[in-house]
mmCIF file of all heavy atoms in Angstrom:
data_model
loop_
_atom_site.group_PDB
_atom_site.id
_atom_site.type_symbol
_atom_site.label_atom_id
_atom_site.label_comp_id
_atom_site.label_asym_id
_atom_site.label_seq_id
_atom_site.Cartn_x
_atom_site.Cartn_y
_atom_site.Cartn_z
ATOM 1 N N PRO Z 41 63.347 -38.082 40.617
ATOM 2 C CA PRO Z 41 62.440 -37.988 39.508
ATOM 3 C C PRO Z 41 60.956 -38.200 40.057
ATOM 4 O O PRO Z 41 60.019 -37.829 39.364
ATOM 5 C CB PRO Z 41 62.875 -39.286 38.803
ATOM 6 C CG PRO Z 41 63.539 -40.136 39.773
ATOM 7 C CD PRO Z 41 64.281 -39.045 40.733
ATOM 8 N N ASP Z 42 60.770 -38.841 41.221
ATOM 9 C CA ASP Z 42 59.398 -39.052 41.710
ATOM 10 C C ASP Z 42 58.819 -37.616 42.050
ATOM 11 O O ASP Z 42 57.604 -37.449 41.799
ATOM 12 C CB ASP Z 42 59.435 -39.949 43.032
ATOM 13 C CG ASP Z 42 59.805 -41.373 42.532
ATOM 14 O OD1 ASP Z 42 59.712 -41.680 41.398
ATOM 15 O OD2 ASP Z 42 60.382 -42.073 43.358
ATOM 16 N N LEU Z 43 59.536 -36.864 42.716
ATOM 17 C CA LEU Z 43 58.954 -35.506 43.232
ATOM 18 C C LEU Z 43 58.696 -34.578 42.014
ATOM 19 O O LEU Z 43 57.740 -33.844 41.881
ATOM 20 C CB LEU Z 43 59.899 -34.830 44.217
ATOM 21 C CG LEU Z 43 59.492 -33.602 44.890
ATOM 22 C CD1 LEU Z 43 58.160 -33.848 45.580
ATOM 23 C CD2 LEU Z 43 60.591 -33.117 45.776
ATOM 24 N N SER Z 44 59.646 -34.571 41.061
ATOM 25 C CA SER Z 44 59.347 -33.613 40.020
ATOM 26 C C SER Z 44 58.275 -34.011 39.164
ATOM 27 O O SER Z 44 57.469 -33.349 38.618
ATOM 28 C CB SER Z 44 60.651 -33.657 39.137
ATOM 29 O OG SER Z 44 61.112 -34.932 38.639
ATOM 30 N N SER Z 45 58.062 -35.317 38.884
ATOM 31 C CA SER Z 45 56.966 -35.917 38.140
ATOM 32 C C SER Z 45 55.639 -35.469 38.863
ATOM 33 O O SER Z 45 54.576 -35.287 38.342
ATOM 34 C CB SER Z 45 57.107 -37.424 37.962
ATOM 35 O OG SER Z 45 57.060 -38.129 39.130
ATOM 36 N N GLY Z 46 55.690 -35.594 40.165
ATOM 37 C CA GLY Z 46 54.407 -35.199 41.033
ATOM 38 C C GLY Z 46 53.986 -33.775 40.866
ATOM 39 O O GLY Z 46 52.928 -33.448 40.674
ATOM 40 N N ARG Z 47 55.163 -32.958 40.842
ATOM 41 C CA ARG Z 47 54.917 -31.477 40.682
ATOM 42 C C ARG Z 47 54.263 -31.353 39.309
ATOM 43 O O ARG Z 47 53.430 -30.413 39.091
ATOM 44 C CB ARG Z 47 56.169 -30.811 40.964
ATOM 45 C CG ARG Z 47 56.529 -30.661 42.362
ATOM 46 C CD ARG Z 47 57.746 -29.732 42.474
ATOM 47 N NE ARG Z 47 58.148 -29.589 43.967
ATOM 48 C CZ ARG Z 47 59.118 -28.757 44.262
ATOM 49 N NH1 ARG Z 47 59.941 -28.238 43.312
ATOM 50 N NH2 ARG Z 47 59.446 -28.691 45.504
ATOM 51 N N SER Z 48 54.830 -31.839 38.263
ATOM 52 C CA SER Z 48 54.327 -31.709 36.915
ATOM 53 C C SER Z 48 53.004 -32.260 36.756
ATOM 54 O O SER Z 48 52.143 -31.562 36.086
ATOM 55 C CB SER Z 48 55.356 -32.425 36.001
ATOM 56 O OG SER Z 48 54.841 -32.377 34.635
ATOM 57 N N PHE Z 49 52.637 -33.322 37.388
ATOM 58 C CA PHE Z 49 51.259 -33.874 37.302
ATOM 59 C C PHE Z 49 50.265 -32.897 37.919
ATOM 60 O O PHE Z 49 49.123 -32.637 37.450
ATOM 61 C CB PHE Z 49 51.216 -35.219 37.995
ATOM 62 C CG PHE Z 49 49.888 -35.775 38.101
ATOM 63 C CD1 PHE Z 49 49.173 -36.219 37.080
ATOM 64 C CD2 PHE Z 49 49.169 -35.833 39.428
ATOM 65 C CE1 PHE Z 49 47.943 -36.764 37.220
ATOM 66 C CE2 PHE Z 49 47.947 -36.241 39.511
ATOM 67 C CZ PHE Z 49 47.245 -36.833 38.374
ATOM 68 N N LEU Z 50 50.664 -32.381 39.133
ATOM 69 C CA LEU Z 50 49.717 -31.489 39.865
ATOM 70 C C LEU Z 50 49.540 -30.134 39.028
ATOM 71 O O LEU Z 50 48.412 -29.541 38.967
ATOM 72 C CB LEU Z 50 50.208 -31.021 41.288
ATOM 73 C CG LEU Z 50 50.285 -32.219 42.187
ATOM 74 C CD1 LEU Z 50 51.034 -31.656 43.541
ATOM 75 C CD2 LEU Z 50 48.861 -32.621 42.557
ATOM 76 N N SER Z 51 50.620 -29.603 38.385
ATOM 77 C CA SER Z 51 50.515 -28.454 37.485
ATOM 78 C C SER Z 51 49.596 -28.622 36.439
ATOM 79 O O SER Z 51 48.715 -27.797 36.077
ATOM 80 C CB SER Z 51 51.915 -28.052 37.092
ATOM 81 O OG SER Z 51 51.872 -26.953 36.232
ATOM 82 N N ASP Z 52 49.827 -29.766 35.800
ATOM 83 C CA ASP Z 52 49.007 -30.228 34.534
ATOM 84 C C ASP Z 52 47.457 -30.304 35.010
ATOM 85 O O ASP Z 52 46.493 -29.879 34.250
ATOM 86 C CB ASP Z 52 49.399 -31.433 33.900
ATOM 87 C CG ASP Z 52 50.775 -31.268 33.259
ATOM 88 O OD1 ASP Z 52 51.190 -30.092 33.089
ATOM 89 O OD2 ASP Z 52 51.398 -32.274 33.021
ATOM 90 N N LEU Z 53 47.197 -30.966 36.185
ATOM 91 C CA LEU Z 53 45.903 -31.114 36.592
ATOM 92 C C LEU Z 53 45.328 -29.863 36.923
ATOM 93 O O LEU Z 53 44.023 -29.657 36.602
ATOM 94 C CB LEU Z 53 45.951 -32.009 37.904
ATOM 95 C CG LEU Z 53 44.528 -32.369 38.485
ATOM 96 C CD1 LEU Z 53 43.627 -33.041 37.499
ATOM 97 C CD2 LEU Z 53 44.678 -33.021 39.745
ATOM 98 N N SER Z 54 46.041 -28.917 37.650
ATOM 99 C CA SER Z 54 45.414 -27.557 37.940
ATOM 100 C C SER Z 54 45.061 -26.802 36.649
ATOM 101 O O SER Z 54 44.006 -26.124 36.573
ATOM 102 C CB SER Z 54 46.453 -26.773 38.816
ATOM 103 O OG SER Z 54 45.960 -25.510 39.070
ATOM 104 N N HIS Z 55 45.956 -26.832 35.641
ATOM 105 C CA HIS Z 55 45.703 -26.125 34.337
ATOM 106 C C HIS Z 55 44.499 -26.683 33.748
ATOM 107 O O HIS Z 55 43.718 -25.993 33.049
ATOM 108 C CB HIS Z 55 46.976 -26.238 33.447
ATOM 109 C CG HIS Z 55 46.876 -25.394 32.098
ATOM 110 N ND1 HIS Z 55 46.884 -24.107 32.193
ATOM 111 C CD2 HIS Z 55 46.829 -25.893 30.864
ATOM 112 C CE1 HIS Z 55 46.776 -23.667 30.954
ATOM 113 N NE2 HIS Z 55 46.668 -24.911 30.094
ATOM 114 N N SER Z 56 44.395 -27.949 33.589
ATOM 115 C CA SER Z 56 43.254 -28.622 32.832
ATOM 116 C C SER Z 56 41.964 -28.331 33.647
ATOM 117 O O SER Z 56 40.856 -28.028 33.016
ATOM 118 C CB SER Z 56 43.343 -30.048 32.554
ATOM 119 O OG SER Z 56 44.263 -30.731 33.509
ATOM 120 N N VAL Z 57 41.941 -28.281 34.944
ATOM 121 C CA VAL Z 57 40.636 -27.965 35.735
ATOM 122 C C VAL Z 57 40.259 -26.660 35.457
ATOM 123 O O VAL Z 57 39.078 -26.232 35.225
ATOM 124 C CB VAL Z 57 40.880 -28.143 37.211
ATOM 125 C CG1 VAL Z 57 39.789 -27.629 38.015
ATOM 126 C CG2 VAL Z 57 41.097 -29.790 37.338
ATOM 127 N N SER Z 58 41.226 -25.606 35.469
ATOM 128 C CA SER Z 58 40.843 -24.167 35.200
ATOM 129 C C SER Z 58 40.374 -23.921 33.751
ATOM 130 O O SER Z 58 39.408 -23.306 33.592
ATOM 131 C CB SER Z 58 42.041 -23.301 35.531
ATOM 132 O OG SER Z 58 43.241 -23.664 34.523
ATOM 133 N N ASN Z 59 41.042 -24.727 32.850
ATOM 134 C CA ASN Z 59 40.430 -24.519 31.450
ATOM 135 C C ASN Z 59 39.110 -25.164 31.263
ATOM 136 O O ASN Z 59 38.267 -24.747 30.527
ATOM 137 C CB ASN Z 59 41.476 -25.212 30.535
ATOM 138 C CG ASN Z 59 42.802 -24.350 30.325
ATOM 139 O OD1 ASN Z 59 42.760 -23.217 30.647
ATOM 140 N ND2 ASN Z 59 43.887 -25.049 29.894
ATOM 141 N N GLY Z 60 38.947 -26.324 31.909
ATOM 142 C CA GLY Z 60 37.564 -26.971 31.788
ATOM 143 C C GLY Z 60 36.475 -26.063 32.373
ATOM 144 O O GLY Z 60 35.365 -26.246 31.944
ATOM 145 N N VAL Z 61 36.688 -25.244 33.401
ATOM 146 C CA VAL Z 61 35.635 -24.473 33.944
ATOM 147 C C VAL Z 61 35.340 -23.318 33.109
ATOM 148 O O VAL Z 61 34.253 -22.849 32.928
ATOM 149 C CB VAL Z 61 36.059 -24.103 35.403
ATOM 150 C CG1 VAL Z 61 35.035 -23.095 35.956
ATOM 151 C CG2 VAL Z 61 36.221 -25.256 36.370
ATOM 152 N N GLN Z 62 36.404 -22.697 32.533
ATOM 153 C CA GLN Z 62 36.179 -21.525 31.765
ATOM 154 C C GLN Z 62 35.639 -21.774 30.308
ATOM 155 O O GLN Z 62 34.913 -20.981 29.755
ATOM 156 C CB GLN Z 62 37.517 -20.738 31.631
ATOM 157 C CG GLN Z 62 37.899 -20.152 32.971
ATOM 158 C CD GLN Z 62 39.344 -19.574 32.826
ATOM 159 O OE1 GLN Z 62 39.936 -19.527 31.732
ATOM 160 N NE2 GLN Z 62 39.826 -19.015 33.915
#
Side-chain angles (χ1 to χ4, degrees):
D42 295 337
L43 185 58
S44 60
S45 61
R47 287 183 174 179
S48 176
F49 173 75
L50 292 176
S51 176
D52 294 340
L53 179 62
S54 175
H55 182 69
S56 15
V57 169
S58 61
N59 290 338
V61 172
Q62 295 176 359

